[in-house]
Amino acid sequence: MSREKLVVVGQGYVGLPLAISAVEAGLDVVGLDVDPTRVRQLGSGRSFVEDIPDSRLAAALATGRYLPTGNYADAKDFDVCVISVPTPLRDGVPDLSFVEQAGTALGPYVRPGCTVILESTTYPGTTEELLRPLLEQGSGLRSPGDFHLGYSPERIDPGNPTWRLENTPKVVSGIDAAALARVDAFYRRIVARTVPVDSTRVAELTKLIENTFRQVNIALVNELAVFSRELGIDVWQAIEAAATKPFGFMSFTPGPGTGGHCLPIDPCYLSWQVKRRLGRQFRFIELAGDINHAMPEYVAQRVMAGLNARGRAVNGARLLLIGLAYKKNTGDLRDSPAIDVANRLRALGARIRAVDPYVDPAQVPAEVAVVELTEAEVRAADAVVVVTDHDGLDYDMVARTAGYVFDSRNRCSGPAVERL
């Protein structure tokens, strides 16, 4: 009896953990990716995703049941295919070209009885209105009837040691009851708990609700941080005090902006769909986006003002940024506010050096020198700017050694520290 064959289109922060977990669950897995460099890297046992160490990738390769490839012909005779490709914004409009390319390329390999699942974050209706016609056209089959189609939003949190793919509840859906049953049965082999919903549109909206909730609440505390400073109130202490309430409150903290694929992008899918379908504005989302997008500029202006108060111009100043990734304990630079902060300070004439033990220096802008966190580096800096608060760094040394610290993450304390 042959093993079930899974194809995962996209071997990034979402697709790679799914592919490796499926191998460990006993499936034959084809990991498709259009980036030949990534395919070669994975084939040689080198992972670029923190949640998948090289040892785990090597173990999957050693089974002979994981094939990284860029050739869609390797998808032939699949039982299940999961599409986990990027869905960026282009000039504020959802760009589903990667989903379209995947659906078109996959269509000829769709066969009776197989299951296709979209995981990419998108607006409600994408699975049925965009992906289904592409698969039907390429295969000559119909869904429902000939093959099964569903949607399951990804809930990957890179760098989170507690909540991983396997123990995070997985929302599942299908375009009919039979498809839902197939999608649910597939994920039950990999995750501890599934959460079935009535339609793909509900599942698509679920993901947007999750990230819109975060975007709006982060915007709230970011604006609170700006106004609290002007009112002479310690916003960090107020948030900590509020967090002691055991009901009716969830703690969010300010920062230099939002990054990654989810928060700067996903809520815009919802507001775009509301405007397209209903002709109305989703005001909460648009306001939250404006506030969070403005934070890197606010941080840059605060650093400049802090230097001026100490008799030092930002033009020509040597600045040391701590953290470049958008999220602590990861190397993910996608839409990182730290890069935005660095570019804005550099545009003001500052010389930028940065500490980040997680990022690949080759992915960092050439104008930013990546260095180790040492007392000499801290002492030589006119200002140290804490942008991404990776664990394991010596913040006490930074606060003790630096002449001026601007801390956007509340990790340092002392007379030289100014907080967001």
Side-chain angles (χ1 to χ4, degrees), residues 398-415:
V398 171
R400 183 177 63 250
T401 307
Y404 167 46
V405 178
F406 181 81
D407 183 3
S408 71
R409 297 291 188 176
N410 196 29
R411 293 299 295 260
C412 298
S413 61

Side-chain angles (χ1 to χ4, degrees), residues 16-341:
L16 183 60
L18 175 62
I20 300 306
S21 294
V23 171
E24 294 167 350
L27 282 71
D28 288 332
V29 180
V30 173
L32 270 166
D33 202 284
V34 297
D35 184 345
T37 301
R38 178 175 293 181
V39 170
R40 287 194 299 270
Q41 182 175 338
L42 293 173
S44 65
R46 292 182 294 120
S47 172
F48 59 94
V49 175
E50 291 85 2
D51 296 340
I52 304 296
D54 289 351
S55 57
R56 194 174 170 195
L57 173 59
L61 290 166
T63 66
R65 291 186 285 105
Y66 174 55
L67 174 65
T69 180
N71 187 356
Y72 269 88
D74 291 318
K76 183 179 179 181
D77 297 328
F78 73 83
D79 298 291
V80 179
C81 176
V82 176
I83 299 173
S84 57
V85 295
T87 48
L89 289 173
R90 305 292 184 196
D91 299 322
V93 177
D95 178 6
L96 297 181
S97 60
F98 294 107
V99 175
E100 293 172 346
Q101 292 166 14
T104 300
L106 187 67
Y109 302 101
V110 171
R111 61 193 179 108
C114 75
T115 302
V116 179
I117 306 165
L118 180 62
E119 280 204 359
S120 304
T121 302
T122 186
Y123 59 83
T126 301
T127 304
E128 293 191 45
E129 298 169 5
L130 176 69
L131 182 59
R132 177 167 63 177
L134 293 173
L135 298 173
E136 290 180 339
Q137 182 178 358
S139 65
L141 303 175
R142 294 291 176 263
S143 180
D146 298 324
F147 67 94
H148 306 288
L149 181 61
Y151 181 82
S152 178
E154 60 88 3
R155 280 176 165 172
I156 296 293
D157 187 18
N160 190 327
T162 302
W163 294 106
R164 308 174 306 280
L165 171 65
E166 296 83 0
N167 66 347
T168 299
K170 196 82 166 77
V171 174
V172 296
S173 69
I175 63 171
D176 67 351
L180 172 58
R182 292 295 186 95
V183 173
D184 186 60
F186 164 69
Y187 283 111
R188 281 181 179 275
R189 299 187 62 175
I190 297 171
V191 303
R193 178 190 170 201
T194 59
V195 183
V197 296
D198 289 343
S199 71
T200 57
R201 291 171 187 267
V202 170
E204 289 161 340
L205 181 59
T206 297
K207 176 63 174 178
L208 299 183
I209 290 173
E210 293 170 3
N211 286 334
T212 299
F213 174 81
R214 293 168 59 204
Q215 175 83 323
V216 168
N217 280 281
I218 291 171
L220 171 64
V221 293
N222 276 338
E223 194 161 41
L224 273 173
V226 173
F227 293 147
S228 294
R229 176 178 178 271
E230 296 175 12
L231 293 170
I233 302 170
D234 185 340
V235 71
W236 296 97
Q237 188 176 50
I239 292 172
E240 289 173 5
T244 64
K245 184 180 180 182
F247 55 89
F249 182 79
M250 180 178 292
S251 182
F252 288 81
T253 55
T258 55
H261 177 274
C262 293
L263 295 191
I265 295 174
D266 296 357
C268 296
Y269 270 67
L270 184 53
S271 61
W272 176 84
Q273 178 76 330
V274 167
K275 187 172 184 179
R276 182 176 73 122
R277 287 290 182 88
L278 305 180
R280 296 160 67 184
Q281 289 182 306
F282 205 134
R283 291 175 293 170
F284 265 168
I285 290 177
E286 294 177 10
L287 177 60
D290 289 343
I291 292 170
N292 289 333
H293 292 159
M295 290 307 293
E297 174 64 18
Y298 177 74
V299 169
Q301 292 298 317
R302 285 283 301 277
V303 171
M304 182 173 68
L307 286 167
N308 287 343
R310 291 161 175 80
R312 183 71 169 94
V314 68
N315 186 21
R318 174 168 167 163
L319 306 184
L320 180 66
L321 269 59
I322 295 183
L324 290 173
Y326 88 88
K327 182 178 185 289
K328 73 175 184 178
N329 303 336
T330 80
D332 195 343
L333 291 172
R334 291 177 297 174
D335 291 307
S336 173
I339 298 296
D340 196 351
V341 169

Side-chain angles (χ1 to χ4, degrees), residues 356-371:
D356 196 309
Y358 290 88
V359 303
D360 177 0
Q363 303 299 317
V364 176
E367 300 82 6
V368 177
V370 179
V371 299

